[in-house]
Amino acid sequence: MMTALLILIAGALLLVPLESWMHTHLHGLWRVLADHVYLPGLRCLVLVFFLNAVFPAPLLDERIVRYADDIILRPPHVSALLNWLFLLGALLPVLPVMQKLTALILPLQTLAGAWLLVGSFEQQTGLQLHGAWQDLAGVLGLSLVAHLLLIQVAGVVQRGSHWDSLTVYDGLSLALLPPLVLLFTRNLVL
């Protein structure tokens, strides 16, 4: 789990100055591409590396992992995971209801990635994880509370730095939201 957290922190630390540079130096079509393709794609790539680093132990209860310990577990192919999560990240902002709730996109991508990993685990082991991932409302509630807290933290951090609060918020949410979502959903997989 520590490796996965280091991946998220390193990804966030690399993306914050890059996003700040893009917001400062890119204009017109290039800015639109940066905001809607390049930056979400890079966040998605960091998320895929994070999910692959946590597969399967932090996603599942230790008893389930021990039961399947003799099976060689293979996560879904990285390109398939990246494609699904990028597609989700690209299509969700187009939905009218999500245009005002863009803070939910990263948690929903994390949840979708976890669903793909757990589905792959179920296929490989033959286990059915009953009751898993049914509390979508809980994940969305957790995400909204975290979003409100991160807005406040980003405002405080932004005052002491040369980055805008959106860039700081994006970096903080990339580093903090995926582990929160996985810790919450892990309790549902018993």
Side-chain angles (χ1 to χ4, degrees):
M1 182 69 166
M2 188 57 83
T3 303
L5 291 175
L6 289 175
I7 288 170
L8 275 180
I9 291 168
L13 288 174
L14 291 172
L15 284 177
V16 165
L18 178 64
E19 183 173 347
S20 180
W21 182 87
M22 286 182 168
H23 285 168
T24 305
H25 292 88
L26 298 181
H27 304 285
L29 178 61
W30 292 108
R31 172 73 183 261
V32 171
L33 286 172
D35 286 341
H36 296 286
V37 178
Y38 304 139
L39 291 170
L42 290 171
R43 281 187 213 106
C44 192
L45 187 62
V46 170
L47 183 60
V48 166
F49 284 129
F50 167 74
L51 288 171
N52 274 308
V54 300
F55 180 77
L59 288 176
L60 305 173
D61 188 84
E62 282 182 36
R63 296 169 289 181
I64 296 170
V65 174
R66 264 189 258 125
Y67 171 78
D69 205 22
D70 56 335
I71 299 171
I72 297 173
L73 296 174
R74 294 174 312 279
H77 199 271
V78 171
S79 66
L81 195 56
L82 183 61
N83 287 339
W84 278 108
L85 296 183
F86 182 76
L87 184 65
L88 184 65
L91 292 180
L92 280 176
V94 175
L95 298 174
V97 71
M98 290 304 291
Q99 289 176 350
K100 295 183 188 215
L101 300 171
T102 56
L104 295 179
I105 293 172
L106 185 63
L108 288 174
Q109 283 178 302
T110 304
L111 193 60
W115 279 340
L116 290 169
L117 290 171
V118 169
S120 172
F121 180 85
E122 287 177 335
Q123 275 185 328
Q124 293 176 46
T125 62
L127 291 174
Q128 287 296 319
L129 303 173
H130 300 290
W133 318 109
Q134 291 178 353
D135 195 359
L136 182 60
V139 170
L140 296 178
L142 172 76
S143 301
L144 284 174
V145 169
H147 165 69
L148 294 174
L149 290 173
L150 287 176
I151 286 174
Q152 299 303 316
V153 172
V156 170
V157 172
Q158 180 265 336
R159 284 186 216 122
S161 72
H162 60 278
W163 296 315
D164 62 297
S165 59
L166 178 63
T167 301
V168 173
Y169 172 84
D170 286 344
L172 288 171
S173 66
L174 180 62
L176 299 175
L177 284 179
L180 281 175
V181 169
L182 289 185
L183 288 173
F184 181 80
T185 54
R186 182 182 186 270
N187 293 325
L188 303 175
V189 182
L190 298 173

